Amino acid sequence: MKFRLSRVQWLCVGYVVLHFAAHLSARWFAVVPGISVSIWYPPCGLALSLLVLLGPRYWWVVFLANFAGAWLTPTPRVPWTAFFFPGLITANYTLAAWLVRKYLGPRLLPGGRRGTWIFSLAMIVPPLVVALIGTSVITIDASFPHPSTVAQFFRSVVDWAIGDASGLLTVVPVIMVFVAPWLRGAPSPLEPRNFSVEGAAIAAGRAIVLLGTLILVLTVPLLRDHSAFYICFLPLVWICVHHGLPGATLATLLIMIVGLVGMRLTNTSLDFSYIFLLFEIAVIGVGLGLGASVTRRNEAEIKLAGSQARLDRVIAGAQLGLWDWNVPERRFEANTLLTTKLGYTAEKVTALDESGATLIHPSDLPMVVKALTEHIEGRSSLYEAEYRLKAANGNWHWIHSRGSVVLRDREQRPTRISGTHVDISERRHAESEIRRLFNIIEATPDFVLTTDAQGRVLYANAALLAVWTHTESGSPWLGRHLGQLFPGEPGRRLNEEAIPAAKAHGMWQGEIALTSAPGRTIPVSQVVLAHRVEESEDFTFSFIMRDISDQKHAEAERIEHERNLLQLQKNESLSVLAGGIAHDFNNLLTAVVGNANLAKFDLPPGAPAHELLGNIEQAAARASALCHQMLAYAGRTSVAFAEVDLNRLIDDTFQLLEPGLNKKIEFQFERGHSLAPVLAASAQMQQVVMNLALNAADAIGEKGGRLTIRTTSRRCSAEELAEIFSGQPLPEGNYALLEVEDTGCGMTAEVRSRIFEPFFTTKFTGQGLGLAAVIGVVRSHRGGITVHSEAGKGTRFRLAFPALETHSAPEELKAAPEGKWRGSGKILVVDDDGLIRQVTRLLLTKLGFTPVIASDGVQGVAAFREHADDLRAVLLDLTMPGMDGFEAHAEMHRHNARVPVILMSGFSQKLSKLPPEAIHPAGVLAKPFGVEQLCERLQSVLD
């Protein structure tokens, strides 16, 4: 392990070494025979310096060094003196060091009144005390050579004190100047970084001059005889002026050492030694005093330069400009900061003279002059103004200038005004940007709110104030708590969800309800921002809210539209399914009815099979009715339309229903006067009324109630129809309105949403096609239907049908021909169903016709062209693959228009949509049909 000494340890080692060297050299300068009393005793200075620097606790180092030195002295000594004199010296200088450190600190140098007095006392009193005590001991002890008279006693005391004092004066300053800084770790004059060849050469030259002057005084008889030591003051002053206290301490030490050595070598008399000693004391006084003054001046200059440098750095760092205005001379001076920013020379920036005033913006110049004039006249304690100065490149810089009167003349008139200026262009631009953003926030239709960490409102923009206006108590919004402005669930959500999330992540987004002053709830999309307050490490919060009422309304309309569209698509899908099933079922029923009719033809009258075949025909009729309901739901009518009076139709229907209704049900018919007729299928409209009435009677049940039917006719606008019959596009026009209302059990929302679905029913027994057929009939008649019902509050159906402008007698159903009608000739049968072709061929044969059969539209057109001249009529299926009935009819009509064509179909929706200019068939034969329907249709066409 490498051994290293600390600076304190090095100082102690150096003290011991120098103590022994100085103690042994004192023999050269002995002035009292027999004892080591010298006119220069350096160990005193070493001891006091060590104790002042390290403190009295190091007294033992001084004692041991003095004790060892006493034993090294080659003069006879009694044993007790080896302890007494080292102890005396140690105690004396330890006490002196303790007092110096108490009142001056660990630095013993002249400087200032207090420091000079303490230094002087430390250099005089301790040597006198040691000299007086030591001489007294020598006088009492006979073993020592001692003075015989009082004069010799005092002479010995003075010699002893002067020797110790000279050692203090020459050694202590040197150690305090060069060693003390090193011990503290502060810069020392002897540090290598302060060394330069030029400086060292100059210092050496001045030391040589001083040394040469001293040698001349000691060696030249003329100068020595006249004690011309004063000549040495010239180089001493020269050194002190240029090197200050460090040079002075070294110079005084050099003079002392060289002088003593020179006197010793030249055997100088004791009187000359006293003269030299007095000279040395004068040298020390002058040197240390002048050196301390120079050092203090240099230190003051360095501090001043440092302060000035710090001030310049502060001014430069703060971007602060200084200006001074000579009022009588109207001269304006500024530092380089302003001129550098503006790009002018210092002479150009004279902001208040005739030429410089042009630098100030014309709009700001009157304000600047007014502020300065008010301050000069004493009407304001401080001049302060913000104005624009024009730079050399033409740009305008904002300047904040302030100052006050610093000098006045004898009449108290201001002569000097000084102050500062700073470029605030960035601040003014930032303020302008803040104002611009504030104006934007105030003008935005969005709601903006700012609160502190406790939820107290700090700011609300104009849009939000327009909504809030005042709180419930009528007080302004400022300072109100967020929970009072967002009561209930919105406030809870903000406090428990939005604000913690904003603290954690800086932002929160969501939707919330804002309650306005009138109590209206406004849905808003909200962004919550958290801003950290650096001074308090707390938060403020900004709430940006946008009114999404229109968006919500549009979204609700979109959802409702999609719901209606989905409902329409579902209904359309079900309609297609129902229509397809009914179409195919009608074909099967046609075969069943036809074959039953054929079987009857071949049976003799009264045969038992007649009853069985009748049962088959009745079952087929009921199945046909079910198919008609499915076709009605699908919006496909199986009969032709005619003009219908709803009032008369309801009367006829209730004549059939009334015997079967519960007698506890009160029936009311509120008949509409001058009711406009509608174009409708009488049987289907009668089915609509019967289904609605029977459903109402079932809803009323056994407890009794009221069933009301109303009819009215009026003109309805498109907006009114869209509001009542939502999702059902009805054009503006005249409508016949039908309402069926009951006081029954009503329906839940879930049931109400499914009542028009096929096969959906709430009855224990029911097929679920009643209301499905109703909505199908309404759609096929281009009408609208809506229902309003609540559980326990009854139900009301409202239906609307387009009304006719003219009134004509309703079409009467033709009676079936009596008896068996027969015909003759060829009839073309075109159908893609083999059973239909077979049964139709047999029926036609029984009626006396010759059937010609084709399986599709293409074969039918070809057979028509082949037999056109012989054909009596054509039975043409409407729905076929490849070429349908319409296309085949058109081809047949072009070839021979005189042959009547009867279309066979389970529905006539397409027929009802034919334009007037289209080719219309001679008749329609609805499936399923039997021999009577076939006979009736052929008779009506052929006759």
Side-chain angles (χ1 to χ4, degrees):
M1 182 173 123
K2 189 175 181 181
F3 180 73
R4 294 185 62 183
L5 295 178
S6 65
R7 295 194 180 194
V8 173
Q9 293 170 336
W10 275 114
L11 183 61
C12 293
V13 171
Y15 163 74
V16 173
V17 173
L18 291 176
H19 175 83
F20 284 120
H23 183 74
L24 294 175
S25 65
R27 295 175 54 196
W28 273 33
F29 314 117
V31 294
V32 177
I35 60 173
S36 298
V37 177
S38 172
I39 63 173
W40 183 57
Y41 191 67
C44 298
L46 294 174
L48 182 60
S49 299
L50 177 72
L51 294 171
V52 169
L53 291 177
L54 301 183
R57 66 180 181 276
Y58 284 88
W59 62 269
W60 56 274
V61 179
V62 176
F63 176 77
L64 291 177
N66 282 278
F67 178 75
W71 283 101
L72 291 176
T73 303
T75 56
R77 289 285 183 271
V78 293
W80 66 270
T81 59
F83 293 95
F84 175 75
F85 286 106
L88 174 64
I89 294 172
T90 301
N92 181 64
Y93 287 109
T94 299
L95 178 61
W98 178 78
L99 293 172
V100 168
R101 288 176 64 90
K102 179 178 180 181
Y103 294 102
L104 194 62
R107 186 175 184 270
L108 186 57
L109 281 173
R113 181 177 298 178
R114 177 186 178 89
T116 302
W117 272 106
I118 294 176
F119 178 81
S120 301
L121 292 174
M123 298 299 105
I124 297 174
V125 174
L128 282 175
V129 172
V130 172
L132 183 62
I133 296 174
T135 304
S136 299
V137 171
I138 292 172
T139 302
I140 296 172
D141 192 347
S143 63
F144 285 94
H146 56 275
S148 58
T149 63
V150 175
Q152 289 179 347
F153 175 81
F154 284 107
R155 176 69 178 270
S156 178
V157 171
V158 171
D159 290 342
W160 193 333
I162 289 176
D164 288 359
S166 63
L168 292 173
L169 288 170
T170 53
V171 174
V172 170
V174 173
I175 294 177
M176 292 299 164
V177 170
F178 294 98
V179 179
W182 169 82
L183 182 64
R184 297 192 305 267
S188 174
L190 295 180
E191 287 189 1
R193 61 183 179 180
N194 297 328
F195 176 81
S196 66
V197 177
E198 182 181 359
I202 295 175
R206 290 167 180 160
I208 291 172
V209 171
L210 176 62
L211 183 59
T213 304
L214 183 59
I215 292 174
L216 287 177
V217 172
L218 293 175
T219 56
V220 176
L222 178 62
L223 298 176
R224 181 177 178 181
D225 294 341
H226 290 82
S227 301
F229 290 110
Y230 54 82
I231 299 176
C232 296
F233 281 104
L234 295 177
L236 177 64
V237 172
W238 186 35
I239 290 173
C240 291
V241 169
H242 286 87
H243 297 283
L245 194 57
T249 57
L250 291 177
T252 56
L253 181 61
L254 180 63
I255 291 174
M256 176 62 76
I257 294 175
V258 173
L260 292 177
V261 171
M263 288 187 298
R264 182 69 177 175
L265 294 177
T266 57
N267 296 320
T268 305
S269 63
L270 186 59
D271 293 337
F272 188 81
S273 297
Y274 287 131
I275 294 173
F276 175 76
L277 184 60
L278 294 175
F279 161 72
E280 180 63 22
I281 292 174
V283 166
I284 291 173
V286 172
L288 293 181
L290 182 59
S293 300
V294 172
T295 297
R296 288 198 303 271
R297 185 199 67 188
N298 293 338
E299 291 176 352
E301 290 178 353
I302 293 173
K303 290 182 179 179
L304 179 61
S307 299
Q308 184 64 41
R310 285 194 299 273
L311 179 61
D312 292 340
R313 289 195 300 270
V314 170
I315 292 173
Q319 295 291 300
L320 193 65
L322 305 179
W323 57 267
D324 182 70
W325 187 45
N326 189 323
V327 179
E329 298 179 6
R330 299 185 63 82
R331 187 175 69 253
F332 183 85
E333 296 178 356
N335 65 346
T336 58
L337 179 67
L338 184 63
T339 58
T340 301
K341 280 188 171 292
L342 298 180
Y344 293 122
T345 60
E347 293 78 10
K348 183 65 175 177
V349 183
T350 54
L352 295 179
D353 63 12
E354 184 177 354
S355 61
T358 58
L359 300 179
I360 301 178
H361 196 282
S363 300
D364 302 335
L365 183 58
M367 178 268 298
V368 175
V369 174
K370 178 182 177 182
L372 195 55
T373 303
E374 288 180 351
H375 180 64
I376 291 174
E377 294 176 353
R379 288 181 288 165
S380 63
S381 60
L382 180 70
Y383 156 72
E384 189 168 10
E386 291 185 1
Y387 52 88
R388 286 163 288 181
L389 283 181
K390 188 175 184 180
N393 58 6
N395 294 333
W396 292 98
H397 286 247
W398 276 98
I399 304 297
H400 177 83
S401 179
R402 60 184 302 173
S404 61
V405 175
V406 295
L407 289 177
R408 297 180 182 272
D409 58 14
R410 294 181 179 179
E411 288 77 18
Q412 294 301 310
R413 291 175 299 187
T415 59
R416 287 273 182 170
I417 301 177
S418 300
T420 61
H421 53 237
V422 60
D423 190 333
I424 59 170
S425 299
E426 293 184 1
R427 192 199 79 189
R428 292 294 294 233
H429 292 328
E431 290 175 352
S432 177
E433 184 68 14
I434 290 173
R435 286 194 298 271
R436 186 179 69 83
L437 294 176
F438 178 77
N439 291 334
I440 292 175
I441 293 174
E442 282 293 298
T444 182
D446 292 342
F447 308 138
V448 181
L449 172 70
T450 301
T451 68
D452 60 11
Q454 289 70 40
R456 291 188 296 267
V457 176
L458 303 176
Y459 166 77
N461 71 337
L464 188 54
L465 292 179
V467 172
W468 272 344
T469 60
H470 292 86
T471 59
E472 294 179 0
S473 60
S475 59
W477 52 266
L478 189 62
R480 301 288 290 182
H481 196 271
L482 191 65
Q484 296 175 283
L485 304 175
F486 291 91
E489 176 63 20
R492 185 202 62 79
R493 189 179 177 198
L494 285 178
N495 288 323
E496 297 181 4
E497 178 183 348
I499 292 178
K503 281 185 177 180
H505 308 291
M507 183 182 70
W508 176 86
Q509 287 182 304
E511 294 184 5
I512 205 166
L514 171 66
T515 303
S516 64
R520 183 171 66 94
T521 299
I522 304 174
V524 295
S525 64
Q526 185 169 107
V527 176
V528 181
L529 302 175
H531 317 282
R532 183 176 292 277
V533 181
E534 296 181 358
E535 295 81 3
S536 61
E537 292 297 321
D538 214 333
F539 287 89
T540 60
F541 300 94
S542 294
F543 303 80
I544 299 95
M545 297 164 279
R546 174 166 294 179
D547 187 348
I548 57 173
S549 301
D550 294 340
Q551 178 181 341
K552 285 287 187 180
H553 182 68
E555 182 71 13
E557 289 185 344
R558 183 186 65 80
I559 293 175
E560 181 65 18
H561 176 72
E562 290 180 354
R563 187 186 67 80
N564 293 333
L565 181 60
L566 289 175
Q567 184 66 29
L568 289 175
Q569 290 174 348
K570 182 176 70 173
N571 292 339
E572 183 64 26
S573 299
L574 292 174
S575 297
V576 172
L577 175 63
I581 293 174
H583 174 268
D584 293 339
F585 200 42
N586 272 331
N587 288 342
L588 296 175
L589 290 176
T590 301
V592 171
V593 173
N595 282 289
N597 293 157
L598 290 173
K600 280 186 175 183
F601 274 108
D602 295 334
L603 289 176
H610 275 285
E611 183 178 356
L612 298 177
L613 292 174
N615 293 335
I616 293 175
E617 289 177 343
Q618 290 179 3
R622 293 177 61 187
S624 177
L626 181 60
C627 287
H628 289 167
Q629 289 185 349
M630 294 179 66
L631 287 172
Y633 170 76
R636 301 173 178 182
T637 58
S638 57
V639 295
F641 278 43
E643 187 175 308
V644 175
D645 182 356
L646 288 179
N647 288 338
R648 179 179 174 186
L649 183 138
I650 293 171
D651 287 334
D652 295 341
T653 303
F654 261 85
Q655 288 180 5
L656 300 175
L657 288 175
E658 189 173 5
L661 291 178
N662 186 358
K663 300 305 180 183
K664 295 181 181 180
I665 297 176
E666 177 186 355
F667 172 66
Q668 294 181 357
F669 180 24
E670 298 178 5
R671 188 187 306 271
H673 299 287
S674 303
L675 185 66
V678 296
L679 184 63
S682 298
Q684 290 189 353
M685 293 298 290
Q686 191 175 52
Q687 182 182 5
V688 167
V689 176
M690 290 181 67
N691 285 342
L692 293 178
L694 290 175
N695 281 344
D698 291 338
I700 294 173
E702 296 297 327
K703 65 180 180 179
R706 185 173 61 256
L707 170 62
T708 304
I709 297 181
R710 302 181 187 90
T711 57
T712 57
S713 61
R714 60 188 177 91
R715 185 170 185 83
C716 299
S717 64
E719 292 78 11
E720 182 182 4
L721 293 169
E723 181 179 357
I724 299 175
F725 304 98
S726 177
Q728 306 174 57
L730 300 179
E732 180 180 355
N734 293 322
Y735 284 85
L737 304 178
L738 170 64
E739 292 187 9
V740 179
E741 184 175 2
D742 66 72
T743 59
C745 61
M747 295 179 284
T748 63
E750 181 182 359
V751 172
R752 192 170 60 248
S753 65
R754 300 187 61 189
I755 57 175
F756 295 114
E757 294 181 9
F759 312 113
F760 174 79
T761 180
T762 58
K763 302 175 184 178
F764 181 73
T765 58
Q767 57 189 358
L769 287 174
L771 291 178
V774 168
I775 195 172
V777 171
V778 172
R779 283 203 300 262
S780 66
H781 287 72
R782 299 183 184 86
I785 183 172
T786 184
V787 58
H788 176 76
S789 179
E790 296 183 26
K793 297 184 179 180
T795 303
R796 182 181 63 180
F797 284 89
R798 298 184 69 183
L799 294 82
F801 298 97
L804 294 175
E805 299 294 338
T806 58
H807 298 269
S808 59
E811 178 183 338
E812 296 291 342
L813 296 177
K814 295 182 180 180
E818 296 181 359
K820 297 295 184 180
W821 177 84
R822 295 180 62 83
S824 61
K826 293 181 179 180
I827 293 181
L828 175 61
V829 179
V830 184
D831 200 303
D832 61 329
D833 191 306
L835 291 176
I836 299 296
R837 293 195 302 271
Q838 180 181 2
V839 72
T840 305
R841 179 177 61 81
L842 294 174
L843 289 174
L844 290 175
T845 302
K846 292 293 184 181
L847 293 177
F849 295 98
T850 302
V852 178
I853 305 301
S855 61
D856 56 32
V858 177
Q859 291 184 9
V861 172
F864 182 86
R865 291 174 179 173
E866 180 180 354
H867 303 282
D869 295 337
D870 301 330
L871 291 176
R872 295 286 308 277
V874 178
L875 295 175
L876 180 61
D877 188 18
L878 183 61
T879 304
M880 294 181 296
M883 179 183 290
D884 63 12
F886 288 121
E887 295 172 340
H889 182 204
E891 290 294 330
M892 295 175 184
H893 185 78
R894 281 194 294 269
H895 187 74
N896 189 347
R898 293 177 299 173
V899 179
V901 176
I902 301 173
L903 291 178
M904 297 184 298
S905 178
F907 54 92
S908 59
Q909 183 183 20
K910 293 184 179 180
L911 293 174
S912 63
K913 294 182 180 180
L914 283 177
E917 64 274 9
I919 302 171
H920 288 258
V924 177
L925 181 60
K927 295 180 180 179
F929 56 86
V931 64
E932 293 183 0
Q933 291 82 8
L934 178 61
C935 182
E936 175 188 345
R937 183 56 59 194
L938 288 174
Q939 183 181 4
S940 64
V941 171
L942 298 180
D943 289 349

